[in-house]
């Protein structure tokens, strides 16, 4: 029997079981339609009304532990059984209670509607699509590696997940190891989807649906443009297959900002979530820095919280540098944004060091976000001076990309900076860390900015075209 016919036949039976009200799916899939190379394979069948997920799992060996990552996952589990003998399985919190001999296959059902209702990312969405993190519906063996998931979807529906597509099978994904920085979004239902090629990457973009009429192509064009900014650092995007989810900011978001919030989620892959004001014209999004900031984060591994001031600062630095190189900011605006940011960092909790600000963020947010940006500027200028412009922060991060990105684990700040130093003839980053990380106050960038021709007298900000390092300043922002 041809494989495509087997797939169609099984999908028809699975959906028919759901419509008829059959409890748990109790049939295994033949090897022909599973990912044979994966020791842990899941088939997820999505209900047409987006109310539930029926999940069938097959393991190439007996497993004795199965759990979900979210503490409340058990709240959404409607039932589970060992599909070998149809014995029901109980759960304790987020763990299934398994026989001591283990199981090699599992059937279970998840209340997708309830899980979505508890996820704040659904606040601005229409009923045509829902979001529920895999953390609440994917129950896997402990320390499972090489997991594949295949989705069976009703006609006209899609799924968007941060995992890696696994061709040639459609709607099949492999879950890479990742730091688990937060809980990724899985989007189910009817939404707009497009893929864009960037140097070194294919961007997978899902634009969720709201009750408002919108132009998805305008949103795709905006995401494409903002992600392209990152390629202006060293010529390519730092992740070959990232996903992006554009979400409507829900009623809990206040203010008129065109882009309310964004974040990078490193959970089974890397994805960017962008919460936008769908009432604002998309043309106004281009003046906002949030998307470029988030995409810039992908140029570094995910750092432990005690050192995240470094990665936040590098993203602060690059959001302004890249927006200037792309022509979205003027040369003067980019340096004004940097200058004013450094001033805010300098006046924030002067009794704390950058590491101290990471431990105690109360009133120290600007120090936390701008201390690393000061180190980025100092390092960028020094690298360019050492090498007559042959090296820069751009080139060093490009070497980091070649060796280490996307990173499967969390890194410490010193681990990152020591790695950057391995690309240099003379260490720079760790000496800067030792000089500033635990020193109270703020890294002194004022004299360096003066040499670059960036200064202010009172309220008068100015760019000095004939300053000592004016050519270097222009090289940084392309002005």
């Amino acid at each position: 029997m041809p494989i495509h016919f087997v797939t169609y036949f099984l999908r028809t039976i699975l959906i028919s079981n759901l419509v008829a009200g059959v409890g748990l799916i109790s049939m295994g899939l033949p090897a022909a339609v599973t990912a044979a190379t994966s020791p842990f394979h899941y088939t997820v069948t999505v209900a047409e009304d987006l109310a539930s997920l029926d999940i069938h799992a097959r393991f190439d060996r007996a497993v004795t532990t199965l759990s979900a990552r979210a503490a409340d996952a058990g709240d959404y589990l409607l039932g589970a059984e060992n599909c070998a003998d149809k014995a029901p399985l109980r759960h304790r919190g987020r763990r299934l209670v398994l026989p001591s001999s283990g199981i090699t296959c599992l059937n279970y059902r998840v209340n997708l509607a309830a899980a979505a209702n508890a996820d704040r990312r659904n606040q601005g969405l229409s009923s045509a699509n829902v979001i529920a993190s895999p953390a609440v519906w994917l129950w896997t063996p402990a320390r499972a590696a090489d997991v594949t998931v295949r989705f069976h979807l009703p006609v006209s529906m899609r799924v968007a997940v941060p995992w890696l597509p696994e061709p040639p099978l459609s709607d099949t994904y492999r879950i890479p190891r990742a730091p688990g920085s937060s809980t990724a979004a899985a989007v189910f239902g009817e939404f707009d989807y497009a893929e864009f090629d960037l140097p070194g990457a294919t961007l997978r973009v899902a634009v969720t649906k709201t009750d408002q009429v919108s132009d998805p192509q305008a949103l795709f064009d905006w995401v494409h443009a903002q992600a392209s900014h990152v390629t202006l650092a060293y010529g390519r995007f730092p992740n070959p297959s990232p996903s992006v989810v554009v979400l409507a900011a829900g009623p809990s978001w206040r203010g008129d900002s065109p882009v309310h919030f964004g974040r990078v989620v490193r959970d089974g892959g890397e994805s960017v979530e962008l919460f936008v004001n769908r009432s604002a014209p998309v043309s106004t999004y281009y003046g906002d820095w949030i998307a470029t900031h988030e995409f810039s984060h992908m140029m570094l591994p995910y750092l432990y919280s005690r050192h995240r001031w470094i990665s936040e600062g590098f993203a602060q630095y690059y959001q302004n540098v890249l927006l200037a190189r792309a022509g979205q900011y003027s040369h003067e605006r980019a340096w004004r944004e940097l200058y004013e940011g450094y001033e805010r960092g300098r006046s924030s909790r002067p009794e704390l060091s950058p590491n101290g600000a990471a431990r105690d963020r109360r009133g120290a947010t600007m120090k936390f976000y701008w201390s690393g940006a000061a180190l980025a500027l100092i390092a960028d200028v020094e690298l360019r001076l050492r090498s007559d412009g042959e090296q820069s922060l751009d080139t060093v991060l490009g070497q980091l990309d070649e060796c280490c990105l996307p990173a499967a684990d969390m890194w410490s700040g010193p681990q990152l900076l020591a790695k950057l130093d391995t690309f240099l003839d003379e260490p720079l980053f760790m000496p800067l860390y030792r000089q500033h990380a635990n020193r109270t106050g703020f890294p002194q960038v004022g004299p360096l900015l003066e040499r670059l021709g960036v200064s202010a007298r009172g309220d008068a900000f100015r760019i000095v075209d004939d300053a000592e390092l004016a050519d270097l300043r222009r090289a940084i922002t392309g002005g």
Side-chain angles (χ1 to χ4, degrees):
M1 185 181 298
I3 289 177
H4 64 84
F5 182 79
V6 173
T7 303
Y8 173 79
F9 176 72
L10 288 172
R11 180 175 175 180
T12 302
I13 293 175
L14 291 170
I15 293 175
S16 298
N17 283 346
L18 286 174
V19 173
V22 174
L24 294 167
I25 298 170
S26 57
M27 57 180 296
L29 293 175
V33 294
T34 64
T37 58
S38 172
F40 309 110
H41 182 72
Y42 290 71
T43 302
V44 179
T45 301
V46 182
E48 292 201 50
D49 60 0
L50 296 176
S52 62
L53 303 175
D54 276 280
I55 301 173
H56 173 76
R58 298 185 70 88
F59 316 120
D60 70 350
R61 57 185 179 272
V63 300
T64 57
T65 62
L66 284 167
S67 61
R69 284 185 51 227
D72 61 343
D75 297 344
Y76 312 114
L77 188 64
L78 296 176
E81 69 178 21
N82 178 355
C83 57
D85 59 9
K86 310 301 184 292
L89 300 171
R90 296 180 295 107
H91 72 89
R92 291 176 184 160
R94 60 188 183 93
R95 295 185 181 276
L96 285 176
V97 180
L98 303 182
S100 59
S101 58
I103 63 174
T104 57
C105 63
L106 168 72
N107 294 316
Y108 65 100
R109 175 171 286 177
V110 173
N111 189 332
L112 176 61
N117 188 57
D119 193 318
R120 290 185 60 205
R121 288 172 288 197
N122 289 279
Q123 283 186 354
L125 303 190
S126 74
S127 58
N129 47 190
V130 300
I131 291 175
S133 172
V136 303
W137 57 260
L138 191 65
W139 296 66
T140 60
R143 296 179 296 279
D146 205 17
V147 174
T148 58
V149 180
R150 189 173 190 186
F151 293 93
H152 287 290
L153 301 162
V155 176
S156 83
M157 284 196 184
R158 292 187 171 109
V159 63
V161 289
W163 310 327
L164 300 179
E166 187 76 354
L169 298 176
S170 63
D171 292 321
T172 301
Y173 301 85
R174 187 174 299 274
I175 305 177
R177 201 172 87 222
S181 65
S182 187
T183 53
V187 189
F188 300 96
E190 298 178 16
F191 53 88
D192 295 296
Y193 178 83
E195 295 183 356
F196 302 109
D197 288 332
L198 296 173
T202 297
L203 208 68
R204 298 174 285 131
V205 185
V207 173
T208 55
K209 284 191 177 297
T210 70
D211 292 326
Q212 295 173 300
V213 177
S214 63
D215 179 3
Q217 187 58 53
L219 288 164
F220 288 138
D221 292 343
W222 169 68
V223 171
H224 190 198
Q226 305 309 105
S228 297
H229 295 164
V230 178
T231 68
L232 301 176
Y234 47 81
R236 62 186 179 276
F237 199 84
N239 183 316
S241 186
S243 66
V244 181
V245 182
V246 180
L247 295 147
S252 62
W253 296 97
R254 304 295 182 191
D256 298 323
S257 299
V259 183
H260 284 277
F261 178 69
R263 65 174 185 166
V264 176
V265 181
R266 311 190 200 221
D267 179 23
E270 290 188 335
S271 58
V272 175
E273 296 176 3
L274 298 170
F275 293 79
V276 300
N277 181 353
R278 297 293 284 269
S279 299
V282 176
S283 59
T284 64
Y285 296 5
Y286 286 87
D288 194 280
W289 54 265
I290 288 177
T292 301
H293 177 97
E294 299 307 327
F295 287 122
S296 296
H297 269 303
M298 290 185 166
M299 292 193 287
L300 295 182
Y302 187 64
L303 301 186
Y304 289 105
S305 59
R306 63 183 179 274
H307 298 129
R308 212 164 292 154
W309 61 272
I310 298 171
S311 55
E312 288 294 349
F314 274 46
Q316 291 288 102
Y317 179 69
Y318 267 105
Q319 79 192 33
N320 293 290
V321 167
L322 296 178
L323 286 169
R325 292 180 190 175
Q328 195 167 315
Y329 279 5
S330 68
H331 179 73
E332 179 177 347
R333 178 179 175 182
W335 287 103
R336 180 190 291 272
E337 296 284 352
L338 287 168
Y339 178 88
E340 292 177 351
Y342 294 139
E343 286 297 296
R344 290 192 295 272
R346 186 177 61 82
S347 61
S348 173
R349 295 291 297 273
E351 78 281 8
L352 293 179
S353 67
N355 277 343
R359 291 190 298 269
D360 181 6
R361 295 273 295 277
R362 291 172 298 177
T365 299
M366 292 298 100
K367 172 164 285 184
F368 177 84
Y369 274 87
W370 284 98
S371 295
L375 261 61
L377 174 66
I378 295 168
D380 200 2
V381 171
E382 178 61 23
L383 287 168
R384 292 170 187 268
L385 289 175
R386 284 184 183 183
S387 63
D388 288 330
E390 294 298 316
Q391 275 191 319
S392 65
L393 190 55
D394 298 339
T395 62
V396 172
L397 293 184
Q399 290 173 281
L400 178 72
D401 178 14
E402 288 180 358
C403 80
C404 307
L405 298 180
D409 300 299
M410 277 195 284
W411 290 31
S412 71
Q415 180 184 2
L416 166 66
L417 300 178
K419 186 64 180 180
L420 296 182
D421 277 336
T422 65
F423 307 131
L424 307 177
D425 293 332
E426 178 185 351
L428 170 63
F429 292 93
M430 277 305 294
L432 284 175
Y433 178 82
R434 286 190 287 266
Q435 180 181 356
H436 297 289
N438 293 305
R439 176 179 292 179
T440 58
F442 191 79
Q444 292 298 312
V445 293
L448 178 57
L449 288 170
E450 289 281 351
R451 294 175 66 199
L452 290 166
V454 179
S455 65
R457 298 291 183 269
D459 294 332
F461 174 85
R462 64 189 187 121
I463 296 290
V464 182
D465 287 332
D466 59 352
E468 175 193 355
L469 300 180
D471 287 343
L472 192 151
R473 181 196 71 232
R474 285 187 282 268
I476 289 175
T477 52

